[in-house]
């Protein structure tokens, strides 16, 4: 006797839980932060992204994996904004325990800056372009994350030019002249690990959302596509 297995369906309440956790974490971090302008600069991505995700949840629902990762990243940003990245207590504990020269929370934050956006970029490309199943999806995802990290470093440079020493808490260089390069390298490592480790799980959740049939542009191309997203030549 055979038993029919139904495909996994994303849990209905998980996005709501992720949003609630994010809102609570953001509210707690906003209570008497170390430096209010720094808190705003560190959490502005959450302040913009959270309403966007909520407003588009019906037209563009996200996978469970991405919802959880975005919430986790938001909490990392909220903690860094509350204490400033150079003074996060957990980072001080790691520094003292391992005998490090600096608080490593900033490095962790930039690893997350690559790890989480990699899934976001991968999901956007899979659902809005013909790259689903293409060998170019992984390298383009990593390149997009590295580009975003470079843009973020330019924003930090702009903050330093405009704010002078008042932007030191936001920059969190901690005296490292190679801090910019380290930040981008950490983002690169995070994005690469994310693509290597989470791609299969992400694909399964995309399939559960019916993403394989969601790219309308594929139907309008002159050449038909295979299930892997590659084009096939029409016989002459």
């Amino acid at each position: 006797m055979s038993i029919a297995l139904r495909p996994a369906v994303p849990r209905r309440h998980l996005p709501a839980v992720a949003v609630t956790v994010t809102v609570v974490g953001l509210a707690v971090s906003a209570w008497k932060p170390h430096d209010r302008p720094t808190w705003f600069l560190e959490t502005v991505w959450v302040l913009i992204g959270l309403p966007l995700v909520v407003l588009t949840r019906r037209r563009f629902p996200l996978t469970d994996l991405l919802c959880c990762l975005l919430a986790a990243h938001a909490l990392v940003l909220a903690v860094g904004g509350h204490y400033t990245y150079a003074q996060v207590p957990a980072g001080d504990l790691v520094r003292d325990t391992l005998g490090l020269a600096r608080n490593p929370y900033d490095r962790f934050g930039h690893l997350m800056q690559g790890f989480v956006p990699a899934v976001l970029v991968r999901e956007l490309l899979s659902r809005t372009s013909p790259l689903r199943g293409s060998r170019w999806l992984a390298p383009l995802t990593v390149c997009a994350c590295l580009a975003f990290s470079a843009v973020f470093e330019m924003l930090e440079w702009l903050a330093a030019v405009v704010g002078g020493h008042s932007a030191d808490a936001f920059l969190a260089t901690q005296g490292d002249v190679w801090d910019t390069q380290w930040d981008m390298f950490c983002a690169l490592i995070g994005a690469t690990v994310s693509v290597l480790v989470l791609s299969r799980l992400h694909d399964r959740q995309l399939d559960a959302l019916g993403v394989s049939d969601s790219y309308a542009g594929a139907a309008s191309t002159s050449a038909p596509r295979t299930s892997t997203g590659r084009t096939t030549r029409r016989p002459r």
Side-chain angles (χ1 to χ4, degrees), residues 50-121:
L50 182 60
L52 184 62
V53 169
V54 172
L55 291 174
T56 60
R57 69 189 186 282
R58 296 187 182 277
R59 184 170 56 89
F60 200 88
L62 303 179
T63 58
D64 287 354
L65 174 63
L66 183 54
C67 286
C68 292
L69 288 176
L70 288 176
H73 195 191
L75 294 180
V76 170
L77 294 174
V79 171
H82 181 79
Y83 292 104
T84 75
Y85 278 81
Q87 301 183 56
V88 173
D92 287 340
L93 178 62
V94 174
R95 179 198 62 200
D96 297 339
T97 301
L98 301 181
L100 303 178
R102 53 173 286 156
N103 187 311
Y105 191 81
D106 180 55
R107 302 286 191 240
F108 173 69
H110 283 278
L111 281 170
M112 290 291 286
Q113 190 187 69
F115 191 85
V116 176
V119 178
L120 174 60
V121 170

